[in-house]
Amino acid sequence: MPTRRTFIGAASGLMLPGFSSAFAADDPASKGVTRVSADLVLHHGLFTTLDRTNPTASAVAIRNGKFLAVGNDNEIMAHAGPNTRVIDLKGRRVLPGLIDNHLHIIRGGLNFNMELRWDGVRSLADAMSMLKRQVAITPPPQWVRVVGGFTEHQFAEKRLPTIDELNAVAPDTPVFLLHLYDRAILNGAALRAVGYTKDTPNPPGGEILRDANGNPTGLLLAKPNAGILYATLAKGPKLPFEYQVNSTRHFMRELNRLGVTGAIDAGGGFQNYPEDYAVIQKLSDEGQLTIRLAYNLFTQKPKQEKEDFLNWTQTSKYKQGDDYFRHNGAGEMLVFSAADFEDFRQPRPDMPPEMEGELEGVVRILAQNRWPWRLHSTYDETISRSLDVFERVNQDIPLQGLNWFFDHAETISDQSIDRIAALGGGIAVQHRMAYQGEYFVERYGLGAAEATPPVKKILDKGVKVSAGTDATRVASYNPWVSLSWLITGKTVGGSRLYPQRNCLDRETALRMWTENVTWFSNEEGKKGRIAVGQLADLIVPSRDFFSCSEDEISHLTSDLTVVGGKMVYGAGDFSALDENVPPPAMPDWSPVRTFKGYAAWGEPEGAGKNSLRRTAINLCGCANSCGVHGHDHATAWSSKLPISDLKSFWGALGCACWAV
């Protein structure tokens, strides 16, 4: 249903010139004003700028990778010179490019081409069919890795596959299935490949489940951390460097398809600096990055954390790099003893008594060198103890102005929020509860889950807060799942976690994914809005974000993604504009060649069919499946026909296929 906001936005293109033009809004011909020609003009659009001085526009002019002017069509078309590329947006909604505050893009890119994604697949039967087909083309000694943001709650069957089912599908090919942060399921071939036997001891913090005879069953549990899961995954074959470059390009391509134009990389276990950064550095050097990336340095070895940061603060310079690839400080791990892992199937872990001393040693190094940091903290008990350390350091070395922050903060208290504010810190939340919400409710109750994390309260208190995914291993990289979770309060399985009072309106949620993130990378005023002088990053979503139904938000993609004035992804009406089609995924057996990414979108008539169309079908009022347009309601609902108002006469009819 159109809102007051969308009505005003639609009308704005017919009204006064935009106030943020770089030049006078008067007709240049009548005033003798010389206009600067743009490289690119996008017009006849419905721009949500997030610029409070100029909230809506119908056109933009871009020059040298930045917004030159933002306003109405008449004003902006004056910047169209003989060499300007002009694109008609045909009345489509335009948003600032999305920025993920917590993405493991560097590590994820190295492995993306090897991973079969069950993210967004709505049937276990479909998922297992995908697995069977991938096993058939995967040559030895390669593994099939099912890694990423999926949960049994998203499947119609409400369960994960059994080990027997994996063995039936893949008797000889190793299959490694990483489920969020809590477990891995290995078939017999994978157990043989990693060498786990009756004599293999349980590592610290993990458990190898065994049968009555003591033999490993194939189930690995994080108790309470994922060290055993990641260490086991690391035993698998790796792609050669050339293939890793290709893989990273395909991961960025998938993110661009979903409207992501920037991210902060949170480092990660088994991601060594600088060795594992060589691929992303090469792409940066060759101008092939299509995601703006700020990166944090993640400590490598327990009890050697001070050595890591002493070395890095001497060999690396904070903010080194450019607008596409730049240093962003330390974390999300500072010291191993301070990491409270986020497996809600396990009881909350208590941090060891030496945590404060170890953390203080590292924080002092960072504060002295004016390096900001991010710190992984799930529970308030950990946050409170960390704040004790930060407050002690602050007495000697003021922390104001460092833009440091906590990650996750699911159970943070009001008192801790206030303490963070007093120290000038921030909070970066991720959508882990969209995947683990059911587990949290099972352990702590629905009442405790109602404000986990308390995003609305953090905003109301004025503390810096933004949103991201924590992909690729413990959640999906799809930003629209996060936006849907913030707006609806629902998990990917459909469970409602939050009452309406704790949910966000669409504009506030969008700001969490755009302008709010820029504080966390020290780039305020440079990007995150469609405004003169800011970096020209924008998207045209597949449906109007402000008028589509809530249930459609998680199904959005981008039909046009622009980064720095370059069209890095195009689909649908804009497919011909795509300037960044990468070479085919390598190796030739890569799951990416067949299934692409989220919801197996590469097979819209196969494995991805139910995933991509499930919501439209479920919301349809037809007694039977429509055989005309296959329930293609997305186009109908986002059109300017009366069907877009679900409460009107035509909307009440149910089936919208006539409007396609």
Side-chain angles (χ1 to χ4, degrees):
M1 178 178 180
T3 63
R4 179 175 178 270
R5 182 189 297 110
T6 58
F7 176 80
I8 293 172
S12 68
L14 305 175
M15 296 168 57
L16 298 173
F19 295 108
S20 65
S21 171
F23 302 91
D26 297 322
D27 181 2
S30 63
K31 299 291 184 178
V33 177
T34 301
R35 298 275 188 166
V36 175
S37 292
D39 301 321
L40 175 67
V41 165
L42 303 169
H43 71 113
H44 191 206
L46 188 60
F47 288 78
T48 298
T49 68
L50 298 183
D51 179 357
R52 299 186 191 279
T53 66
N54 184 38
T56 59
S58 64
V60 298
I62 296 170
R63 182 179 173 88
N64 296 329
K66 296 182 178 180
F67 292 113
L68 172 68
V70 180
N72 67 28
D73 280 40
N74 289 336
E75 177 188 14
I76 301 305
M77 288 302 293
H79 293 286
N83 298 316
T84 302
R85 191 172 189 181
V86 179
I87 296 171
D88 185 349
L89 296 175
K90 303 178 181 178
R92 297 282 295 276
R93 173 74 61 182
V94 185
L95 307 175
L98 304 179
I99 309 168
D100 193 324
N101 74 17
H102 189 134
L103 184 63
H104 295 277
I105 186 172
I106 296 173
R107 181 180 65 192
L110 300 179
N111 302 292
F112 184 74
N113 280 2
M114 292 193 293
E115 295 173 352
L116 180 67
R117 312 293 306 189
W118 284 357
D119 308 40
V121 176
R122 293 295 181 172
S123 162
L124 179 60
D126 288 340
M128 292 299 290
S129 175
M130 293 167 63
L131 177 61
K132 184 176 181 179
R133 292 173 58 191
Q134 185 59 43
V135 165
I137 63 170
T138 302
Q142 297 294 337
W143 298 10
V144 178
R145 298 161 167 84
V146 182
V147 177
F150 68 94
T151 168
E152 65 268 32
H153 299 288
Q154 78 191 43
F155 296 140
E157 299 87 344
K158 301 297 181 183
R159 69 176 182 87
L160 296 175
T162 66
I163 295 171
D164 287 343
E165 287 171 329
L166 293 183
N167 284 327
V169 169
D172 303 310
T173 302
V175 173
F176 181 99
L177 192 155
L178 180 64
H179 178 251
L180 303 179
Y181 205 86
D182 72 298
R183 66 191 56 209
I185 307 175
L186 284 66
N187 68 344
L191 278 177
R192 294 190 294 272
V194 300
Y196 291 170
T197 67
K198 186 176 183 178
D199 300 321
T200 305
N202 286 334
E207 181 178 353
I208 302 172
L209 258 67
R210 305 171 192 273
D211 61 20
N213 298 317
N215 295 306
T217 63
L219 183 61
L220 311 179
L221 296 180
K223 282 191 170 184
N225 68 67
I228 185 176
L229 312 183
Y230 290 2
T232 306
L233 182 60
K235 293 176 180 288
K238 294 178 173 60
L239 292 175
F241 185 84
E242 179 187 0
Y243 286 28
Q244 290 178 333
V245 172
N246 177 276
S247 178
T248 301
R249 287 192 66 185
H250 277 274
F251 188 30
M252 291 191 296
R253 174 80 169 175
E254 172 73 347
L255 292 168
N256 291 153
R257 183 185 73 88
L258 292 167
V260 178
T261 61
I264 307 177
D265 188 272
F270 300 93
Q271 181 176 310
N272 297 308
Y273 181 81
E275 296 83 0
D276 288 336
Y277 291 67
V279 166
I280 207 84
Q281 186 65 62
K282 174 182 170 65
L283 290 169
S284 176
D285 294 342
E286 296 178 356
Q288 292 188 339
L289 291 182
T290 62
I291 301 285
R292 300 188 190 276
L293 187 60
Y295 63 93
N296 285 66
L297 296 184
F298 189 110
T299 191
Q300 304 295 306
K301 297 177 182 175
K303 308 301 181 183
Q304 297 182 35
E305 299 97 337
K306 284 183 66 174
E307 288 77 2
D308 275 340
F309 290 114
L310 281 169
N311 175 50
W312 291 338
T313 52
Q314 293 170 9
T315 59
S316 299
K317 185 179 180 182
Y318 171 55
K319 290 188 178 182
Q320 68 184 30
D322 56 26
D323 291 333
Y324 278 91
F325 187 49
R326 61 192 297 276
H327 185 286
N328 196 54
E332 62 178 302
M333 182 83 84
L334 298 181
V335 292
F336 280 76
S337 56
D340 60 350
F341 302 98
E342 66 275 19
D343 182 2
F344 295 130
R345 287 187 163 181
Q346 295 292 320
R348 176 184 61 81
D350 289 318
M351 300 298 97
E354 66 268 20
M355 184 269 276
E356 282 86 348
E358 293 178 353
L359 183 60
E360 183 171 344
V362 167
V363 170
R364 286 189 177 276
I365 293 169
L366 298 173
Q368 288 166 354
N369 287 277
R370 309 310 290 171
W371 272 36
W373 64 85
R374 62 190 310 161
L375 182 58
H376 175 122
S377 296
T378 301
Y379 300 97
D380 188 63
E381 289 81 356
T382 308
I383 293 170
S384 179
R385 288 176 62 180
S386 299
L387 285 168
D388 292 342
V389 173
F390 298 170
E391 288 166 349
R392 191 155 56 244
V393 173
N394 184 63
Q395 293 176 358
D396 303 322
I397 312 169
L399 302 185
Q400 285 285 348
L402 271 188
N403 291 29
W404 64 269
F405 56 96
F406 285 107
D407 279 298
H408 311 306
E410 274 86 355
T411 68
I412 191 169
S413 65
D414 290 3
Q415 183 183 16
S416 292
I417 297 170
D418 293 338
R419 293 171 71 188
I420 292 170
L423 292 173
I427 300 169
V429 300
Q430 292 79 45
H431 66 183
R432 299 186 312 190
M433 285 290 286
Y435 292 87
Q436 297 193 53
E438 287 87 355
Y439 309 146
F440 188 94
V441 170
E442 184 179 340
R443 178 170 291 280
Y444 299 106
L446 188 58
E450 286 188 350
T452 302
V455 176
K456 188 72 160 52
K457 184 173 291 184
I458 298 168
L459 282 165
D460 291 343
K461 285 178 172 287
V463 175
K464 300 292 186 181
V465 60
S466 64
T469 62
D470 201 9
T472 56
R473 292 179 175 176
V474 297
S476 172
Y477 51 73
N478 190 336
W480 304 103
V481 174
S482 171
L483 285 160
S484 175
W485 165 72
L486 290 167
I487 294 163
T488 68
K490 294 180 181 179
T491 70
V492 295
S495 300
R496 178 173 290 281
L497 296 175
Y498 315 130
Q500 191 59 45
R501 66 179 181 276
N502 291 342
C503 296
L504 306 184
D505 65 83
R506 298 191 193 198
E507 181 177 314
T508 302
L510 181 62
R511 291 183 186 274
M512 291 271 289
W513 265 89
T514 50
E515 65 171 6
N516 286 20
V517 186
T518 62
W519 181 89
F520 295 78
S521 59
N522 270 279
E523 294 175 289
E524 288 181 291
K526 292 187 69 173
K527 60 183 183 182
R529 298 193 296 270
I530 298 175
V532 170
Q534 294 213 5
L535 297 170
D537 305 341
L538 59 82
I539 62 172
V540 179
S542 53
R543 278 150 272 175
D544 190 328
F545 171 69
F546 286 106
S547 64
C548 70
S549 70
E550 284 191 347
D551 288 328
E552 287 287 284
I553 294 173
S554 66
H555 292 261
L556 296 181
T557 57
S558 176
D559 278 355
L560 180 64
T561 302
V562 176
V563 180
K566 182 180 179 181
M567 287 164 284
V568 299
Y569 181 82
D573 293 341
F574 306 106
S575 57
L577 303 177
D578 197 331
E579 300 175 346
N580 188 56
V581 180
M586 300 163 63
D588 58 8
W589 50 265
S590 168
V592 174
R593 286 207 177 189
T594 302
F595 304 107
K596 301 299 186 183
Y598 187 89
W601 68 270
E603 283 208 322
E605 298 304 318
K609 185 174 183 179
N610 292 328
S611 305
L612 299 172
R613 309 178 82 95
R614 174 176 177 268
T615 297
I617 293 170
N618 287 348
L619 292 178
C620 182
C622 301
N624 302 296
S625 295
C626 174
V628 180
H629 297 103
H631 286 72
D632 194 5
H633 297 269
T635 302
W637 288 341
S638 59
S639 75
K640 296 190 177 179
L641 295 167
I643 191 63
S644 62
D645 182 355
L646 299 179
K647 294 183 179 179
S648 71
F649 173 76
W650 293 110
L653 289 180
C655 182
C657 291
W658 64 269
V660 177

